[in-house]
Amino acid sequence: MKIRHFKTSDAKDIADLFHRSVHAISTDVYSPEQLEAWSPSPPDYTMWTERLERMRPFVATIEGVVIGFIELESDGHIDCLYVHPDYQGRGVAKALFHYAKNAAIEHGCQTMYVEASKVAKAFFLKMGFEIQAENRVIKNHQALINYSMSGSLTS
């Protein structure tokens, strides 16, 4: 696995990965309507290209295939961390997280923070984050629960 900076040619693959990752979440966790609200079908490739050009995520690949990505803002905010369903449970999220954490430290951040989904909450707890609040977010007329979480980079 290699981790590198985003290239414009990654945009469609990342949009598809995001969509597949969201729709692979068990409907015991989020309803089909919530999953569709979170990631409407089909993906909006124009919106994703514009977003990714602005966010410039780190991208994990295996033999040139995009298998995950993480968006890190300059203040330590993680906006997205997604791994292709076929590669989940193989350390991809952890590798992306540590890559982003090192970048945040290099940029002088003292903390990282995220709004984690119900599924991602356990991962961020394992990475040393603490829950600050439970949030109810309305997206495309559906209520989604996520968690404001943060973790120190100085300890």
Side-chain angles (χ1 to χ4, degrees):
M1 175 176 51
K2 294 180 182 175
I3 299 177
R4 60 168 172 75
H5 290 271
F6 167 79
K7 298 185 293 193
T8 302
S9 60
D10 297 325
K12 184 179 184 307
D13 291 339
I14 290 173
D16 288 337
L17 181 152
F18 173 85
H19 188 72
R20 287 196 60 194
S21 295
V22 168
H23 285 272
I25 295 171
S26 171
T27 54
D28 292 338
V29 179
Y30 291 104
S31 72
E33 294 80 14
Q34 289 172 314
L35 297 176
E36 186 62 24
W38 186 350
S39 180
S41 301
D44 180 342
Y45 296 113
T46 301
M47 180 279 298
W48 271 101
T49 299
E50 291 169 0
R51 175 195 176 101
L52 294 165
E53 288 288 347
R54 185 176 68 255
M55 297 298 292
R56 310 300 298 172
F58 301 120
V59 179
T61 64
I62 292 179
E63 297 178 6
V65 176
V66 174
I67 61 168
F69 74 103
I70 188 169
E71 294 176 350
L72 176 68
E73 297 177 18
S74 61
D75 64 353
H77 180 241
I78 298 168
D79 201 359
C80 283
L81 171 55
Y82 289 88
V83 175
H84 189 286
D86 293 345
Y87 293 89
Q88 292 176 3
R90 298 184 187 184
V92 177
K94 187 175 181 180
L96 282 164
F97 173 81
H98 285 295
Y99 193 93
K101 180 179 178 180
N102 289 336
I105 290 167
E106 286 176 18
H107 286 103
C109 293
Q110 307 234 340
T111 60
M112 293 175 80
Y113 65 103
V114 67
E115 295 76 39
S117 69
K118 291 179 183 179
V119 175
K121 178 177 77 168
F123 172 80
F124 285 104
L125 287 171
K126 286 180 188 173
M127 295 300 107
F129 280 49
E130 295 179 356
I131 298 171
Q132 309 301 318
E134 180 177 299
N135 309 306
R136 184 175 179 267
V137 179
I138 305 297
K139 190 153 179 105
N140 296 322
H141 310 292
Q142 290 289 318
L144 300 167
I145 300 297
N146 70 21
Y147 302 88
S148 296
M149 302 178 74
S150 64
S152 174
L153 300 178
T154 58
S155 45

